[in-house]
């Protein structure tokens, strides 16, 4: 039976595997709801770790810390999809874990993701499992160039992807991923010539209730999401189709928790699935200011099997821009004073000790009457942010 947070005999504690910004923003919502938080992370004073007395800084590979974390938690969720599912199995013997270890096994492998979703009728690019160098050659012959080779597991921010423009590049890509000390199995997929990248967040609880957020446009630079426009500036019918695909993905895997589904929109108005993240997602940060219930609150409601809150926007439009590191050194910015003078812009700084080039240090969200208006003000605020 699920523990209830309505009649707890003890204060209810949600355990977070990972202590980064996603855990921090989940913790902020938990505290708002009267729930306590335990955090396990490799290293002390992580963004979420420093918010709680129940911080376990030895990480989940340290069995004493893992044990203490399990003891401290009534229910467990995660912010990081790269946790070994065998460790999740160990945890799941003692506490409810959402998303479940089986969901995590499926989602961790991009080939299995695509196989699962394509079998249930969700549109994906052409894709294939790659076991030999010849499989890459055959994929290029069958589906044409360019195509994308991706590591099946542990890819993030584009690390693990290689676009192959002609057959002479296959050797190099094979060597890069498969001939090192630690070979990384691949899948291949057709290159999608997209006009926009879209994302939809979906929350689902154990009872199968669903809250689907608006379809947003994500804009990447160097494979890192930098800007999110909500709602996506596309026709309503396309927004709805993207939402339907996202819901179908989560229902296909019986997912419990909150999920970010990334898709491509093509010039022919096709919407094609790219990948699913089994956790709060950068494309959903705007929901804190712009929706009735944020993705983080609905994550907590979903994993504790509470009724989900409305995912509707309470403002006409929003724009989120990531604050990426532009230097190395202290994570404290030099000045935020001028940017705070821009109306209707919320600043989030994650409290990371050190900044590195491109590291996600925080974000800002502007709300407004139109997407363009929100984008203009978010951009103005960004330009006034001084590292
Ligand atoms: P990661 O898991 O590292 O974020 P993704 O598979 O989402 O990797 O790819 C990162 C980015 O690379 C995407 O946001 C998109 O811009 C581009 N990309 C990925 N797959 C394709 C594809 N099949 N066709 C065209 N571009 C792609």
């Amino acid at each position: 039976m699920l523990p209830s947070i309505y009649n707890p005999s003890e204060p209810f504690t949600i355990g977070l595997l990972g202590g980064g910004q996603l855990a921090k923003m989940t913790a902020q919502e938990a505290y708002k709801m009267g729930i306590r938080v335990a955090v396990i992370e490799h290293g002390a004073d992580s963004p979420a770790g420093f918010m709680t007395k129940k911080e376990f800084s030895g990480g989940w590979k340290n069995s004493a810390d893992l044990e203490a974390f399990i003891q401290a938690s009534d229910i467990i969720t995660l912010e990081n999809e790269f946790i070994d599912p065998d460790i999740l199995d160990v945890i799941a013997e003692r506490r409810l874990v959402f998303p479940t270890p089986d969901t995590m096994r499926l989602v961790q492998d991009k080939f299995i993701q695509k196989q699962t979703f394509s079998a249930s009728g969700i549109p994906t690019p052409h894709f294939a499992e790659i076991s030999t160098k010849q499989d890459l050659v055959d994929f290029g012959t069958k589906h044409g160039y360019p195509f994308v080779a991706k590591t099946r597991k542990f890819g993030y921010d584009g690390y693990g992807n290689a676009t192959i423009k002609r057959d002479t590049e296959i050797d190099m890509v094979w060597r890069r991923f498969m001939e090192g000390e630690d070979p990384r199995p691949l899948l291949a997929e057709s290159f999608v010539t997209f006009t926009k990248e879209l994302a939809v967040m979906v929350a689902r609880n154990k009872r199968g209730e669903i809250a689907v957020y608006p379809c947003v446009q994500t804009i990447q630079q160097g494979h890192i999401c930098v800007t999110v426009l909500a709602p996506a500036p596309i026709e309503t019918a396309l927004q709805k189709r993207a939402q339907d695909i996202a819901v179908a993905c989560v229902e296909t895997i019986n997912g419990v928790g909150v999920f970010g589904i990334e898709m491509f929109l093509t010039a022919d108005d096709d919407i094609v699935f790219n990948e699913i993240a089994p956790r709060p997602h950068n494309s959903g940060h705007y929901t804190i200011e712009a929706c009735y219930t944020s993705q983080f609150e609905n994550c907590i409601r979903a994993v504790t099997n509470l009724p989900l809150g409305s995912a509707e926007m309470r403002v006409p439009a929003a724009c989120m821009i990531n604050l990426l590191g532009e230097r190395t050194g202290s994570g404290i910015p030099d000045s935020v004073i001028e940017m705070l003078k821009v109306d209707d812009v919320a600043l989030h700084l994650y409290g990371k000790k050190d900044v590195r080039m491109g590291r996600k240090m925080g974000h800002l969200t502007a709300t407004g009457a139109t997407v363009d208006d929100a984008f203009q003000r978010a951009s103005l605020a960004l330009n006034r942010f001084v590292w």
Side-chain angles (χ1 to χ4, degrees):
M1 207 181 72
L2 276 176
S4 164
I5 68 163
Y6 287 126
N7 298 304
S9 51
E10 300 284 331
F12 187 87
T13 300
I14 189 161
L16 301 173
L17 286 152
Q21 65 265 23
L22 301 177
K24 178 185 179 185
M25 290 183 273
T26 306
Q28 284 171 322
E29 294 288 359
Y31 287 129
K32 209 172 82 183
M33 297 169 76
I35 297 172
R36 297 183 180 186
V37 169
V39 172
I40 188 163
E41 177 58 283
H42 307 271
D45 285 343
S46 58
F50 70 59
M51 296 170 72
T52 175
K53 289 181 190 164
K54 300 180 186 189
E55 179 192 22
F56 303 95
S57 57
W60 43 88
K61 289 182 184 157
N62 174 318
S63 49
D65 263 26
L66 181 62
E67 175 58 30
F69 167 76
I70 294 171
Q71 289 284 352
S73 305
D74 292 300
I75 193 164
I76 290 172
T77 189
L78 48 87
E79 65 148 11
N80 174 334
E81 64 267 44
F82 299 138
I83 297 170
D84 181 349
D86 294 344
I87 293 182
L88 292 178
D89 276 338
V90 170
I91 300 172
E93 282 170 16
R94 309 270 303 286
R95 294 289 186 274
L96 288 164
V97 181
F98 293 114
T100 63
D102 283 347
T103 300
M104 298 306 293
R105 265 192 193 87
L106 189 153
V107 165
Q108 277 181 353
D109 186 327
K110 287 181 179 176
F111 173 71
I112 308 273
Q113 276 190 29
K114 290 221 161 68
Q115 201 180 34
T116 307
F117 293 135
S118 136
S120 73
I122 290 158
T124 64
H126 296 298
F127 67 97
E129 187 173 18
I130 299 296
S131 309
T132 64
K133 208 193 292 183
Q134 185 60 38
D135 289 342
L136 286 172
V137 177
D138 293 346
F139 190 89
T141 308
K142 188 166 177 197
H143 298 294
Y145 292 84
F147 69 89
V148 187
K150 294 187 178 181
T151 55
R152 290 174 58 154
K153 294 186 179 177
F154 308 122
Y156 70 98
D157 290 346
Y159 298 109
N161 290 3
T163 303
I164 301 181
K165 295 190 208 65
R166 54 188 75 83
D167 58 358
T168 50
E169 294 177 358
I170 287 177
D171 254 353
M172 196 178 62
V173 169
W174 185 260
R175 252 183 282 126
R176 174 173 152 202
F177 291 118
M178 294 302 293
E179 287 184 354
E181 280 191 357
D182 183 20
R184 304 184 62 192
L186 298 172
L187 80 153
E189 59 185 56
S190 321
F191 187 91
V192 181
T193 323
F194 56 81
T195 53
K196 288 188 169 71
E197 293 194 61
L198 307 175
V200 173
M201 298 302 308
V202 175
R204 185 172 177 277
N205 66 15
K206 191 87 174 47
R207 284 189 295 272
E209 289 165 2
I210 287 210
V212 54
Y213 285 89
C215 171
V216 301
Q217 179 182 356
T218 63
I219 300 169
Q220 347 282 322
Q221 269 166 22
H223 298 281
I224 299 180
C225 172
V226 286
T227 303
V228 172
L229 304 176
I234 57 173
E235 282 171 30
T236 315
L238 292 174
Q239 293 177 4
K240 172 80 172 63
R241 180 137 48 89
Q243 289 178 306
D244 290 347
I245 290 173
V247 168
C249 287
V250 175
E251 286 185 330
T252 297
I253 60 173
N254 269 320
V256 174
V258 70
F259 296 81
I261 295 87
E262 298 176 21
M263 290 159 274
F264 300 121
L265 174 66
T266 71
D268 297 331
D269 284 350
D270 287 328
I271 297 178
V272 182
F273 169 83
N274 177 30
E275 66 173 350
I276 186 168
R279 52 167 172 79
H281 194 246
N282 200 172
S283 71
H285 292 356
Y286 79 95
T287 61
I288 297 173
E289 285 80 20
C291 294
Y292 286 102
T293 317
S294 78
Q295 64 164 346
F296 301 102
E297 180 174 344
N298 260 341
C299 175
I300 290 165
R301 292 190 191 211
V303 302
T304 53
N305 211 17
L306 288 170
L308 301 176
S310 163
E312 299 282 313
M313 289 181 75
R314 54 193 172 95
V315 289
C319 170
M320 189 279 327
I321 297 187
N322 278 331
L323 296 169
L324 302 176
E326 293 175 3
R327 58 166 170 75
T328 52
S330 158
I332 314 275
D334 294 338
S335 175
V336 295
I337 291 170
E338 290 305 314
M339 73 140 286
L340 290 175
K341 293 179 184 165
V342 185
D343 283 341
D344 296 330
V345 178
L347 171 67
H348 295 255
L349 287 174
Y350 304 144
K352 296 181 183 178
K353 274 179 288 186
D354 302 309
V355 61
R356 291 188 302 269
M357 294 297 291
R359 191 176 195 199
K360 287 176 184 165
M361 301 301 292
H363 72 267
L364 42 89
T365 299
T367 49
T370 63
V371 168
D372 200 42
D373 166 43
F375 175 74
Q376 296 302 338
R377 265 172 317 97
S379 304
L380 178 65
L382 176 71
N383 289 336
R384 293 184 180 186
F385 186 83
V386 188
W387 275 113

